[in-house]
Amino acid sequence: MWFNLGLMGMLAAIFIQNRLLLEIQEKTMATVQELKDSLKAIGEGVDALELGLKDLKAQVAAGGVVSQADLDELAAKAAEVVADIKDTTDQE
């Protein structure tokens, strides 16, 4: 009888441990997905900045004048990228 109770206790402990490991795995996977999404947003922001800089460079190379609006737009894109990076690094 004591053997059966001990065996049942061990099985219960294994079940609880497996359940805890499953919960940890689910939380880890959710965190990894959040980080992937954040990195994707950062990458898209960097791409937008790169395109904006190329456009400004081409405009200047063609002898055009860069307007304050163009510079403000580029600065806004840069601020978005910085905010995305800050949000990603501030996550616990």
Side-chain angles (χ1 to χ4, degrees):
M1 180 175 155
W2 292 110
F3 176 76
N4 287 341
L5 287 176
L7 188 57
M8 287 175 39
M10 286 179 17
L11 289 173
I14 291 171
F15 176 78
I16 291 169
Q17 182 181 17
N18 284 342
R19 182 66 193 141
L20 290 174
L21 288 173
L22 183 60
E23 287 179 23
I24 290 170
Q25 181 184 14
E26 289 171 354
K27 289 179 182 178
T28 301
M29 294 303 290
T31 301
V32 167
Q33 187 59 47
E34 288 176 13
L35 287 173
K36 282 182 178 181
D37 293 343
S38 295
L39 290 173
K40 183 178 178 183
I42 291 169
E44 290 170 354
V46 169
D47 289 344
L49 278 175
E50 184 178 20
L51 286 174
L53 287 172
K54 284 181 180 179
D55 288 345
L56 288 179
K57 184 178 177 182
Q59 189 175 349
V60 169
V65 177
V66 177
S67 70
Q68 185 62 44
D70 291 337
L71 294 176
D72 291 343
E73 182 181 340
L74 196 58
K77 288 178 187 176
E80 288 177 20
V81 171
V82 169
D84 285 344
I85 292 169
K86 185 170 176 28
D87 288 345
T88 301
T89 57
D90 287 346
Q91 290 180 4
E92 294 180 9

